[in-house]
Amino acid sequence: MKEWTWDAAWPAPAKLNLFLHVVGRRTDGYHLLQTVFRFIDRCDTLHFAPRADGDIVLATPIPGVPPETDLTVRAARLLQQATGCRQGATIRLDKRLPMGGGLGGGSSDAATVLLALNHLWGTGLDRPGLERLGLALGADVPVFVHGRNTFAEGVGEAFTDVDLPPASYLVLQPAVHVPTAAIFGAPELKRDTAAMRPADWRPGVGRNDLEAVAAAKFPAVADTLAWLRRHAPDAMMTGSGACVFAAFPSRTAADAVLAGLPGGIAGWVADGLAEHPLAKNFEKDWTS
């Protein structure tokens, strides 16, 4: 097993929502969801260096995002606060996943910060404790800490793990940024899909309830989805958009469709993962 040290490159994989239903809304405004998260092998990468001054420094700030609001910085500071840790860290993020794409990139980065610094600092939180911290940062953060492909419910904190067959995915990124708040805040969003039991879900079951809203508000999403459905009728949007995807039986088949991609749309092929790359690590941290 790889040794995870300060010198390691720490992966933060993307996710796809294989379906996403909005089944209700709480009195505090949070939406109640059901979805299946699948990790794929396209990743951001994080690097950490220790600091004795207790500061959290993001060496690679994202243009337009103040460091103090960046999820990676917030995750590190939250871990410090929750554990009383006086150590610091410099964080370097090699960003590969698009913002506003529905792939969970920012949430995945935050989860990797929690996993990495909990290990490197020796702060000793178990995985459920890190999941609870993650939920304070955002609804998608806990699943990346959890580390398994899973049927998620509630606001993203209740998990029933699922075994998924191997698959290659063609992921397309329209040239548009879709703000999550604009989709969940839309009055026309369907919020009353009937809930299903996790045991009743199978690959191919379900849709993305957010897709119709995103496609209506952002024509680039609709156009990209229409193009992909000519090659894969089951294509759908992931998360709140903007990325859309389709499963193929092989990388060869996915690559063949990617080769015909029209200009103005970015795309790539990624394989589904059986679990998060860090899922089997740090068992001794959880039990010590």
Side-chain angles (χ1 to χ4, degrees):
M1 185 175 291
K2 180 174 179 176
E3 185 177 359
W4 294 99
T5 67
W6 288 101
D7 295 323
W10 295 75
K15 58 82 176 171
L16 298 174
N17 296 93
L18 300 190
F19 84 100
L20 200 168
H21 291 172
V22 184
V23 300
R25 196 174 191 178
R26 301 193 319 196
T27 56
D28 60 7
Y30 280 93
H31 290 80
L32 297 173
L33 309 176
Q34 289 189 319
T35 188
V36 165
F37 288 104
R38 178 146 215 180
F39 301 119
I40 58 175
D41 65 358
R42 192 171 180 90
C43 300
D44 288 343
T45 306
L46 291 103
H47 304 264
F48 302 91
R51 298 181 66 95
D53 58 10
D55 287 347
I56 303 299
V57 176
L58 181 60
T60 51
I62 296 172
V65 179
E68 63 271 16
T69 67
D70 190 284
L71 272 176
T72 57
V73 174
R74 291 175 57 204
R77 289 178 175 163
L78 185 61
L79 182 61
Q80 284 179 320
Q81 294 162 8
T83 62
C85 179
R86 296 179 178 274
Q87 301 176 68
T90 297
I91 303 170
R92 179 166 62 85
L93 171 62
D94 296 334
K95 194 70 182 157
R96 196 181 184 198
L97 304 177
M99 298 175 63
L103 299 172
S107 296
S108 186
D109 296 341
T112 292
V113 168
L114 292 176
L115 289 164
L117 292 181
N118 186 61
H119 175 71
L120 296 170
W121 285 343
T123 42
L125 291 186
D126 60 11
R127 195 183 298 273
L130 291 175
E131 288 178 15
R132 287 190 291 272
L133 283 188
L135 189 59
L137 295 166
D140 281 353
V141 179
V143 73
F144 290 102
V145 175
H146 182 72
R148 303 312 200 273
N149 295 318
T150 197
F151 187 110
E153 301 181 86
V155 294
E157 83 289 5
F159 303 128
T160 302
D161 295 344
V162 296
D163 292 321
L164 298 174
S168 292
Y169 298 93
L170 175 56
V171 182
L172 302 183
Q173 179 189 346
V176 63
H177 178 105
V178 176
T180 298
I183 305 304
F184 276 107
E188 66 270 28
L189 175 64
K190 179 177 173 60
R191 298 180 171 90
D192 60 353
T193 296
M196 74 173 83
R197 298 186 310 155
D200 293 336
W201 182 82
R202 298 289 184 273
V205 171
R207 62 183 179 272
N208 186 336
D209 284 339
L210 309 183
E211 184 179 282
V213 177
K217 289 181 177 295
F218 300 92
V221 173
D223 294 344
T224 304
L225 197 52
W227 183 88
L228 185 54
R229 282 181 173 155
R230 292 203 293 270
H231 304 275
D234 293 334
M236 72 171 66
M237 188 179 77
T238 182
S240 57
C243 289
V244 304
F245 71 96
F248 289 84
S250 68
R251 285 192 74 100
T252 301
D255 284 334
V257 177
L258 178 63
L261 188 65
I265 304 173
W268 60 86
V269 174
D271 288 331
L273 297 173
E275 61 188 7
H276 191 291
L278 300 175
K280 282 193 170 68
N281 297 278
F282 322 132
E283 283 89 349
K284 65 179 184 300
D285 293 350
W286 314 136
T287 58
S288 59

